[in-house]
Amino acid sequence: MSASFGAAYPEGPADRDRWILERRGPRNRLDPQRAVEAFVEDEPNEEGIPEPVATVFLANRECPWRCLMCDLWKNTTIESVPPGAIPAQIRGALEDLAPARRLKLYNSGSFFDPKAISPSDYPEVAALTSGFDRVIVESHPALVGDACLRLRDLLAGGLEVALGLETIHPEILPRLNKRMSVEQFEMAAAFLRREEIALRAFVLLGLPFLSEAESLDWACRSVRFAFECGATAVSIIPTRPGNGALEALREGGEFRQPRIPALEAAAEAGLRLGKGRVFTDLWNLEEFRRCDFCFAQRRARLSAMNLRQSVPPAVACAACGGPA
């Protein structure tokens, strides 16, 4: 099914960059010596056993790509942080966190971007994380390569790399301005598989230029594809406005914020594949609220799917028409 494209959003990558940047608001002020946020939450491992996972959001330079849907730039710096700043952030965050088995070092971009995280910091990062069974970092597929091997070889535990697949829709993926192809994702996934580095993938629900039904269909296809590429976990991310660009598309009728029932349906479809763990991003889920009567139940259901990796009974709601 073809997407419907309006005239407002540019076709050329350079013009898209400019269009996206022009619609941005201010970024948050950050201390390069302090992590943006840190917390511990339970997440099931590959055997389905819930275990505590620490997440640290690092402050560092914005990545070089200008993705249409991204709002992570709000918590990035304009210039590279000085050498030693990233270890300082990790050290400070871990001092205040409860014990955990795994650690996510998410940095609103790519861990392997040397202008975001200096490779000279890798040894100290590895020393600080030596008590964890696994360290999970994010990366653009284009940066998957020797830097992954260097970090892997320094770590006491295993390495997992999270890649943004976003979608396999042949028309929409190029228009997201990620400068990535499905084939590039496949190549990065194959590299990680050969090097025995675990892979998780991010998939978007609520794609610009598509109806909700079309977006749900492509999210399910993309989850399946990620597992076929060897992912052991797939996180489904509902596309959120808040970066200026999506608001502009919404005003033009080219973006629709996904509803919670669609997120439930995508999670159910992914779990029923039985190919690996499926998580839904519940951050700020209140933004997607459409019904005050069943919101709490639906949120609890999604949380249960994340933790138990099974599909609970659907929520019936007389106010909004039930599970759909």
Side-chain angles (χ1 to χ4, degrees), residues 278-292:
V278 177
F279 303 113
T280 53
D281 182 7
L282 305 183
W283 179 78
N284 229 8
L285 193 67
E286 292 78 10
E287 292 182 6
F288 302 90
R289 180 200 300 254
R290 295 292 185 274
C291 178
D292 291 334

Side-chain angles (χ1 to χ4, degrees), residues 2-276:
S2 297
S4 175
F5 301 141
Y9 185 57
E11 289 300 321
D15 290 336
R16 288 175 184 164
D17 281 0
R18 187 163 45 251
W19 189 91
I20 290 166
L21 290 172
E22 287 172 350
R23 283 153 182 79
R24 282 187 176 183
R27 70 181 73 216
N28 298 322
R29 295 185 65 180
L30 304 178
D31 180 348
Q33 300 297 319
R34 295 180 60 85
V36 177
E37 186 180 4
F39 53 84
V40 174
E41 60 185 354
D42 285 344
E43 180 180 288
N45 60 22
E46 288 80 0
E47 288 71 45
I49 301 170
E51 59 183 23
V53 177
T55 300
V56 178
F57 290 99
L58 301 170
N60 65 174
R61 177 173 165 156
E62 180 185 355
C63 86
W65 292 277
R66 304 290 181 260
C67 298
L68 174 62
M69 68 290 180
C70 180
D71 63 356
L72 299 177
W73 52 265
K74 292 180 179 180
N75 285 320
T76 60
T77 59
I78 296 173
E79 302 295 334
S80 298
V81 298
I86 295 300
Q89 293 180 37
I90 296 170
R91 186 182 302 108
L94 294 182
E95 286 174 355
D96 297 330
L97 289 181
R101 300 287 301 278
R102 297 185 177 192
L103 173 64
K104 295 176 181 176
L105 294 177
Y106 286 175
N107 66 307
S108 299
S110 296
F111 193 94
F112 302 114
D113 176 0
K115 292 185 178 180
I117 297 179
S118 172
S120 66
D121 284 337
Y122 288 7
E124 193 171 357
V125 169
L128 288 166
T129 62
S130 61
F132 292 93
D133 296 339
R134 177 174 293 186
V135 174
I136 305 161
V137 301
E138 300 173 294
S139 181
H140 189 286
L143 299 178
V144 169
D146 290 345
C148 300
L149 305 186
R150 181 177 179 190
L151 181 63
R152 178 201 63 186
D153 293 345
L154 288 168
L155 294 174
L159 175 63
E160 180 173 325
V161 177
L163 301 180
L165 171 60
E166 321 306 356
T167 182
I168 60 170
H169 192 296
E171 297 173 83
I172 300 300
L173 180 56
R175 292 177 66 84
L176 293 181
N177 208 41
K178 192 180 176 75
R179 315 285 182 96
M180 181 199 86
S181 66
V182 171
E183 292 74 23
Q184 192 172 27
F185 180 93
E186 282 185 289
M187 290 174 61
F191 175 89
L192 295 174
R193 195 164 55 246
R194 285 195 307 272
E195 298 298 337
E196 299 182 342
I197 298 172
L199 164 67
R200 77 171 55 199
F202 298 126
V203 166
L204 290 177
L205 174 70
L207 293 166
F209 314 112
L210 295 182
S211 69
E212 183 177 71
E214 291 170 325
S215 183
L216 174 57
D217 176 47
W218 282 97
C220 294
R221 295 193 203 190
S222 301
V223 169
R224 181 186 293 273
F225 178 81
F227 283 130
E228 290 172 352
C229 287
T232 63
V234 178
S235 292
I236 301 171
I237 314 293
T239 310
R240 298 176 175 87
N243 67 351
L246 290 179
E247 279 83 351
L249 291 180
R250 184 169 60 186
E251 288 176 7
E254 295 177 307
F255 170 67
R256 302 164 184 82
Q257 193 167 337
R259 298 177 305 133
I260 294 176
L263 188 57
E264 291 178 280
E268 290 173 26
L271 288 169
R272 289 192 170 115
L273 290 174
K275 301 294 185 181

